[in-house]
Structures are given as structure tokens and as C-alpha cells.
Amino acid sequence: MCRPRAPLLDEPQLQTRHPSRFYCFGRSINRNVAWTWAAVLAQGLADSIWAGTVLVKFLNELLGNNAYVGYIEAASGAANLIVALPVGACADRLGKGRVARWGGALIPFGVALTAYAASYGTSHPPTDSGGRLSLLLLFVAVQCLWGVVSAVGNGPAQALYADSVATGERSHAYTALFVIYLLASVVGPALTIVLFESHGEAGRTWSLTPLRNVIFAGLGFELVAMGGYLMLRDKHAVGDEEPPTDGTRPASDAEAGGGGGSGGGSGE
């Protein structure tokens, strides 16, 4: 996404460009909208690469117990449910952008713990019930952390996204957001196929080592998504933004889906 040029003295129309917007090719887009698109694209790639079928297969190969896999998968949703209401109240009180950035700041901890658990499990596959129980608890902690990350980051980010789009343009903005996530959900599995094929026969049989490496690749996209969350700001919500006066058109007015207007949003 292009950043605004510095205003020139002989170009007075550029001096009216609003700091809450990116400008490119005669169009403009709210900064929160652009960064949310980037975060959703990266997170969609991450989810479709490591957090679905690949993780379930890895856990099944490692633990050999479908019930354990179910407990681990449920842990993320349970943690999300527990912290969602307190996070929402905190976002209303302190600002959605600030709380979303907290969620982004938690992502490296989730990545590190997941990478450690996957590496340890691959290097030390359990041979008895005690070993399987230890890994069960480790992966439950991993999924609980990701549930917290999702609640702290994604919930306030989505609320701020709504605040950063004019009321009459929200259907277009959410369509664009949905299309971006669907695109990532298509590209992610394609990348997964390439990664498995690069491991030869071991990749085709989905053994622990290629599964671990695919998980690592997905975790890399989680770190990219972190960048999008860390760039969100309450002050860029449309309530604090004047309509463009430089002749540029909001991107949402020109089929992109998410520009300026009037709405709610709290300053930092």
C-alpha cells in the first residue's frame, strides 16, 4: 500500500490530505481499513496452513488419541469465550486500537510456545501414557494462548474496522474483508501442498517432521499478521476524520470497500 507523499509548497491540494488515510493513484483508504486487510490476509494464510487439518493430523500422529485431539481443539474456543467479555469492556474503556495492539503483541508468545511444543513433540514422541499426558497439557496451554490472542486482538480489531468505515459503505467493506480471507483460505492450502511435496515421500505420508515444518511456515504468517495489528489506531476511526477535500475518492467508493465518512471511534 502506498504511503502519502510529503506535501509540496507548489501543490496546495496535497496539504489537505488527511493523516488517517493512505493515498495512491488518485484514491484514498482509511489506514485502519488497510492494516486490517493486511492482518486478515496474513492470518487467513496462517490459519489455512497450520491451524486446521495440519495441526489435527500432527496431534493425532503424536498422541494417537482422538479424545486428546478434541480436548486440545476445544481449549482455544474455551479460552476465547472466557476472556471475550472482559476484553470487550476493556476495549470500550481504553480504546479498541490499543487493545488490538495488545493482542498483536501476544502473537510472538503464541508463535514461540507453539514452535517449542511442535519441536519437542517431534523430537520426543511419547512412548507411554505419562508422556502423552504431558504433551496434552502442553498443547492445551498452546491453544488457550491462541484463544486469548484471538479474543484480545481480533475482536477489538473488527470493532475498530467497523468504526473506520462510513455507515453507508460497511456492506462493501465487509464484502472486501470476506473476499480477502477467502483468497487467503485458497492460497494457504496451495502453499501447504508445495511444502509437503518439497519433503518427498515423507511429505506425502504426512509424518511428524514435515508436519512440524508446515506448522513453522504457518507460524511465520502469524508474525506478519502481528504487524497489521500493531498499526491500528483509534485516532484513525472515521469519527476523527474529515472527508477528503483534495479531489481523491475513497477506495470504498471505487470498488475497494472501506473509506472515510462519519461514525464512532475513540481517540487514543
Side-chain angles (χ1 to χ4, degrees):
M1 186 64 67
C2 297
R3 294 184 178 275
R5 293 187 299 162
L8 302 177
L9 294 178
D10 59 345
E11 294 181 56
Q13 71 276 15
L14 293 180
Q15 297 178 9
T16 62
R17 293 189 170 188
H18 199 279
S20 294
R21 306 186 71 82
F22 286 117
Y23 293 83
C24 186
F25 302 118
R27 297 176 182 173
S28 66
I29 183 172
N30 182 278
R31 289 174 182 263
N32 286 335
V33 170
W35 288 119
T36 302
W37 286 356
V40 165
L41 177 62
Q43 203 154 46
L45 288 169
D47 289 346
S48 59
I49 290 174
W50 82 272
T53 305
V54 170
L55 179 61
V56 170
K57 177 62 176 176
F58 180 83
L59 295 172
N60 191 270
E61 285 287 315
L62 187 64
L63 302 176
N65 188 314
N66 289 332
Y68 282 3
V69 176
Y71 298 151
I72 293 169
E73 288 292 300
S76 176
N80 192 312
L81 181 63
I82 291 170
V83 302
L85 287 177
V87 165
C90 190
D92 289 338
R93 195 175 172 84
L94 300 177
K96 303 177 184 71
R98 178 180 295 180
V99 176
R101 293 196 299 276
W102 292 351
L106 289 174
I107 288 177
F109 296 98
V111 168
L113 185 58
T114 306
Y116 169 76
S119 296
Y120 183 85
T122 304
S123 302
H124 304 85
T127 56
D128 54 28
S129 58
R132 282 189 286 273
L133 182 60
S134 297
L135 283 173
L136 167 66
L137 296 176
L138 177 59
F139 277 99
V140 165
V142 167
Q143 290 296 88
C144 284
L145 181 53
W146 282 115
V148 172
V149 169
S150 177
V152 176
N154 193 47
Q158 291 291 327
L160 183 60
Y161 182 78
D163 288 348
S164 301
V165 179
T167 302
E169 299 168 353
R170 286 178 183 167
S171 61
H172 300 291
Y174 277 97
T175 297
L177 196 68
F178 184 65
V179 168
I180 289 170
Y181 191 83
L182 283 182
L183 177 64
S185 299
V186 172
V187 175
L191 291 175
T192 303
I193 292 172
V194 173
L195 291 169
F196 276 123
E197 285 296 321
S198 69
H199 287 84
E201 187 60 31
R204 297 186 188 99
T205 57
W206 286 35
S207 60
L208 283 177
T209 298
L211 284 166
R212 178 202 62 192
N213 293 341
V214 171
I215 289 173
F216 286 170
L219 293 175
F221 285 104
E222 297 282 6
L223 293 174
V224 176
M226 174 189 67
Y229 284 118
L230 294 180
M231 297 304 295
L232 298 176
R233 297 290 186 275
D234 291 287
K235 66 183 180 182
H236 295 325
V238 295
D240 300 320
E241 176 184 312
E242 295 295 330
T245 58
D246 56 358
T248 60
R249 298 168 60 198
S252 58
D253 292 342
E255 77 251 355
S262 60
S266 59
E268 288 186 311

